[in-house]
């Protein structure tokens, strides 16, 4: 009797450990993602997951996954061979992606509109070096981490 | 009245308020969180853009703060005055949930503060994975984490629907904000 109680208790502990306190992995998706060693900087909104995934020769590329279909979505014109993305953010509709990237000798913030396949550079005013970007999920506001004069600041940009 | 005068007035108002309009964008520096100039890092906006979480130095320790974006008013966080350095804050749609990575002894730990109930939810990752960064879905029903394993990083996604109520945009089911949200 005592032994079965103990084994029942052990099972409960095991089960609670497996559930991770209410955290449940998404096995199919996570197996796909695990193949992309070196990926980082996720941005999750609606049924969209944007992140930086390894490409070649130590370079990264922006990747967007439609979680409803568990499939990557093409981003024509966004990933350039001469650019290294540092940060990405996606809005709730998966329509706009904000990216900080290094290209040649500069670091720039750009806005990519998926339906138009267009990129728009958003200049830092006053001049500064962006490092990371965050979207409000409604797609209206960007918060950008910018270095100016050795100090990290946050710029807020309301999109038209 | 000359036709340029209203434009001048708008420009003056914007420059006084610290805003500028360039290329259709309305720009503003985040409201200061303390005295003088200090580093502000890792910005994260709530889904509706009303709240801004960021990292600042407090007594030499990297600490998360939460502010109303427009007014700069600081909002209280019940559980997040210790376990620094903090890292990678992320907010749900109405800002009910604030997820971030904290220091727990020798290890990094992902946690979520529920500002409506005051609860802190630690997220225990399987297989000894250690979180490096995260992004909470605006409705609070999923979380994506950068985790380190064997010296490399990868992104993994987890379902939170068994742990958190949804925090959706007003008008959708099960929406709800933090303590200061309008009824």
């Amino acid at each position: 009797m005592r032994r079965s109680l103990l084994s029942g208790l052990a099972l409960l502990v095991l089960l609670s450990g497996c559930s991770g306190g209410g955290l449940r992995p998404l096995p199919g998706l996570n197996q796909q993602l695990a193949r992309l060693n070196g990926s980082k900087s996720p941005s999750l909104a609606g049924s969209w997951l944007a992140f930086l995934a390894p490409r070649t020769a130590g370079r990264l590329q922006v990747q967007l996954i439609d979680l409803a279909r568990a499939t990557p979505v093409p981003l024509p014109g966004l990933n350039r061979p001469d650019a290294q993305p540092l940060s990405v953010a996606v809005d709730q509709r998966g329509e706009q992606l904000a990216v900080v990237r290094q290209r040649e000798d500069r670091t720039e913030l750009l806005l990519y509109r998926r339906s138009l396949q267009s990129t728009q550079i958003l200049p830092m005013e006053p001049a500064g070096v962006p490092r990371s970007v965050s979207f409000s999920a409604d797609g209206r506001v960007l918060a950008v981490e910018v270095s100016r004069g050795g100090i990290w600041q946050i710029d807020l940009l309301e999109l038209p | 009245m000359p036709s340029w005068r209203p434009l001048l007035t708008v420009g003056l108002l914007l420059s006084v308020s610290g805003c500028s309009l360039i290329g259709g964008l309305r720009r503003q520096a985040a409201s200061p969180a303390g005295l003088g100039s200090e580093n502000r890092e890792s910005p994260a906006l709530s889904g509706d853009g009303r709240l801004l979480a960021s990292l600042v130095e407090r007594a030499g320790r990297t600490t998360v703060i939460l502010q109303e974006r427009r007014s700069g008013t600081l909002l209280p966080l019940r559980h997040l005055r210790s376990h620094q350095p903090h890292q990678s804050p992320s907010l749900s749609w109405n800002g009910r949930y604030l997820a971030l990575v904290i220091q727990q002894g020798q290890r990094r730990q992902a946690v979520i503060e529920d500002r409506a109930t005051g609860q802190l939810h630690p997220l225990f990752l399987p297989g000894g994975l250690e979180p490096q960064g995260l992004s909470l879905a605006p409705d609070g029903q999923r979380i994506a984490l950068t985790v380190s394993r064997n010296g490399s990083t990868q992104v993994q996604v987890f379902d939170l629907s068994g742990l958190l109520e949804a925090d959706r945009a007003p008008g959708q089911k099960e929406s709800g904000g933090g303590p200061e949200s309008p009824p």
Side-chain angles (χ1 to χ4, degrees), chain B residues 117-137:
Chain B
T117 65
Q119 278 185 291
L120 187 73
H121 300 281
L123 305 180
F124 299 107
L125 303 182
L129 295 173
E130 194 155 338
Q132 303 291 316
L134 57 79
S135 173
L136 182 66

Side-chain angles (χ1 to χ4, degrees), chain A residues 73-142:
Chain A
V73 176
L75 301 168
L78 179 59
N79 289 303
R80 295 174 53 117
D82 61 345
Q84 176 78 313
L86 304 177
S87 174
V88 62
V90 64
D91 71 5
Q92 173 97 346
R93 293 182 301 138
E95 163 61 14
Q96 302 180 106
L97 286 93
V99 178
V100 175
R101 73 180 181 192
Q102 285 177 327
R103 195 174 141 228
E104 295 169 355
D105 57 349
R106 61 182 182 274
T107 307
E108 58 195 14
L109 171 68
L110 65 92
L111 185 66
Y112 178 80
R113 292 190 174 89
R114 211 157 55 85
S115 62
L116 302 173
Q117 299 181 12
S118 70
T119 56
Q120 177 190 2
I121 304 293
L122 306 178
M124 295 289 101
E125 299 285 348
V129 180
R131 179 165 70 172
S132 72
V133 62
S134 161
F135 238 126
S136 62
D138 64 10
R140 291 181 182 159
V141 189
L142 286 172

Side-chain angles (χ1 to χ4, degrees), chain B residues 16-112:
Chain B
V16 166
S17 66
C19 297
S20 65
L21 270 168
I22 297 167
L25 293 174
R26 185 170 181 272
R27 295 170 180 274
Q28 187 178 17
S31 302
L35 294 172
S37 59
E38 58 178 352
N39 281 314
R40 300 278 303 276
E41 299 179 62
S42 300
L45 291 159
S46 57
D48 60 4
R50 193 174 57 88
L51 302 182
L52 171 70
S54 62
L55 301 178
V56 298
E57 293 292 314
R58 288 283 181 268
R61 296 185 298 179
T62 306
T63 305
V64 69
I65 58 167
L66 183 64
Q67 290 176 287
E68 285 180 358
R69 176 173 63 91
R70 287 187 186 280
S71 68
T73 304
L74 281 168
L75 302 174
L77 294 169
R78 185 169 175 179
H79 297 281
L80 299 170
R81 295 187 205 113
S82 58
H83 299 293
Q84 291 99 336
H86 297 161
Q87 194 180 335
S88 193
S90 184
L91 288 162
S92 60
W93 190 279
N94 299 287
R96 172 174 175 175
Y97 302 114
L98 171 61
L100 74 163
V101 178
I102 64 170
Q103 189 73 30
Q104 189 79 282
Q106 295 297 311
R107 288 185 62 82
R108 311 294 290 150
Q109 166 89 57
V111 297
I112 298 174

Side-chain angles (χ1 to χ4, degrees), chain A residues 8-59:
Chain A
L9 191 61
L11 181 64
L12 273 177
V13 169
L14 269 176
L15 282 176
S16 65
C18 288
S19 68
L23 197 66
R24 280 191 296 123
L26 305 179
L29 176 65
N30 284 347
Q31 275 171 15
Q32 278 187 51
L33 292 169
R35 286 196 281 272
L36 300 170
N37 247 342
S39 55
K40 59 182 184 179
S41 304
S43 169
L44 197 55
S47 64
W48 306 96
L49 170 68
F51 60 102
L52 305 181
R55 191 168 43 176
T56 50
R59 289 205 178 267

